[in-house]
Amino acid sequence: MKTNTEDLFFIPKIIYFVNRTCTPDWVIERQQIDFHDFTFVLEGEGEYIVDDVVYPVTKGALVYIPPGSWREAKTSAENPLTLYALNMFLFDKDFKPATLPLPIKSQLEYDPKVDHLLERIRQYNALREATSSMQATAQLMEVFSQVLVNLGVVQGTGSDPRVQKAAAYVTENISRHISAAEIGNAVGIHPGYLNKLTVKHTGNTVSRFITNIRVNMAEDALVYEGISVSEAANRFGFSDIYHFSKVFKKNKGYPPSTAKTLLR
């Protein structure tokens, strides 16, 4: 059974994006990755090797390599690849690592919908240079939604990206107080309607939605960066360490001082 696009909620953290025309000797050496790697092939020929399986790629290929995979790649010297490459981390609505229901290699048929999709990707490339990362992130999420629909992985239901835009805005302003009115203004909707959207798509009010993002980001920093509880409270927008500890324990069921011990 296919999933509806409105049921797919994720927050991308982009770490690398490039529009590359490969030189004849271009290669990616074998390495294990801890991020999501997406490649859209525009022209040329080459091959990607994922977990020792070879995937020949040509115009229209979409390569998705999930975290934990071993990857390597090379281009044809006679017909070098032209591609978009994107590396990112993905998080779900609870700000936990997320995955996408995609195969390693897909072939996008060249019809008007795909032409539109490729134009959207080109627009994203411009957005990352010319506008805020929040707008670029929203554009990227729409691109992935269209990819999943075009591949038949999900059913298109006109998913509204405004909750994702709100989440992106919160993460960008995580160190300070943020009101529903401010987020609504940034997203372009009334705060009351924003609250309805967050309840519909995440099961949480705007206030709870913001708190969950703060706490989950703080948890990750405590566990993986080894920062102190006081630093986490300050970095993720809590008024003081006592308030942070109280909210964190209520949300997670354990105090922030034990996060690293419990989760590593």
Side-chain angles (χ1 to χ4, degrees):
M1 182 177 180
K2 294 180 181 179
T3 303
N4 289 330
T5 52
E6 65 181 13
D7 295 327
L8 291 172
F9 180 97
F10 59 87
I11 304 168
K13 181 179 180 181
I14 302 161
I15 56 176
Y16 179 73
F17 186 93
V18 66
N19 180 2
R20 172 183 289 121
T21 298
C22 298
T23 59
D25 60 350
W26 176 83
V27 297
I28 295 177
E29 300 291 345
R30 190 172 191 268
Q31 59 181 297
Q32 188 174 32
I33 61 173
D34 62 355
F35 48 82
H36 298 259
D37 181 354
F38 295 87
T39 299
F40 298 88
V41 177
L42 302 177
E43 300 288 347
E45 300 175 355
E47 62 182 33
Y48 275 70
I49 305 171
V50 182
D51 293 331
D52 299 319
V53 178
V54 178
Y55 297 88
V57 296
T58 56
K59 181 178 180 178
L62 167 66
V63 180
Y64 167 52
I65 308 176
S69 303
W70 288 89
R71 69 162 188 183
E72 52 189 306
K74 61 182 179 181
T75 188
S76 162
E78 294 75 24
N79 188 14
L81 291 167
T82 298
L83 52 83
Y84 284 98
L86 173 68
N87 298 337
M88 68 173 70
F89 298 109
L90 282 177
F91 304 95
D92 63 17
K93 65 184 180 182
D94 295 317
F95 224 80
K96 297 298 183 182
T99 58
L100 286 175
L102 286 173
I104 298 296
K105 178 192 169 185
S106 307
Q107 195 70 27
L108 299 178
E109 297 296 330
Y110 272 78
D111 60 22
K113 288 184 178 180
V114 174
D115 288 340
H116 178 65
L117 167 62
L118 294 175
E119 180 58 31
R120 296 279 291 281
I121 296 170
R122 294 185 184 96
Q123 290 172 5
Y124 169 71
N125 191 38
L127 278 171
R128 65 187 280 271
E129 299 294 340
T131 65
S132 74
S133 58
M134 181 187 74
Q135 292 170 299
T137 295
Q139 179 74 17
L140 178 61
M141 287 186 287
E142 291 187 49
V143 167
F144 279 130
S145 176
Q146 188 63 54
V147 167
L148 295 172
V149 171
N150 284 2
L151 292 175
V153 175
V154 300
Q155 296 172 334
T157 60
S159 180
D160 193 328
R162 288 173 287 188
V163 175
Q164 287 95 333
K165 289 183 182 180
Y169 187 83
V170 173
T171 61
E172 289 185 349
N173 297 276
I174 199 70
S175 65
R176 62 179 181 81
H177 172 74
I178 312 168
S179 67
E182 179 184 344
I183 299 172
N185 183 63
V187 175
I189 57 177
H190 189 277
Y193 185 59
L194 174 63
N195 192 70
K196 290 183 179 180
L197 287 177
T198 60
V199 170
K200 176 182 178 181
H201 290 279
T202 74
N204 295 302
T205 63
V206 173
S207 177
R208 181 72 176 178
F209 174 76
I210 296 169
T211 298
N212 284 351
I213 292 175
R214 291 190 193 281
V215 169
N216 286 320
M217 290 183 71
E219 181 184 55
D220 286 344
L222 288 165
V223 174
Y224 299 109
E225 296 180 38
I227 67 173
S228 67
V229 174
S230 60
E231 184 179 351
N234 182 64
R235 185 191 296 186
F236 297 104
F238 292 90
S239 57
D240 56 61
I241 189 173
Y242 305 105
H243 178 234
F244 170 58
S245 296
K246 180 179 179 181
V247 173
F248 188 100
K249 185 173 182 179
K250 182 178 180 180
N251 188 288
K252 295 294 181 180
Y254 56 86
S257 58
T258 64
K260 187 171 184 178
T261 302
L262 289 174
L263 300 180
R264 286 302 294 266

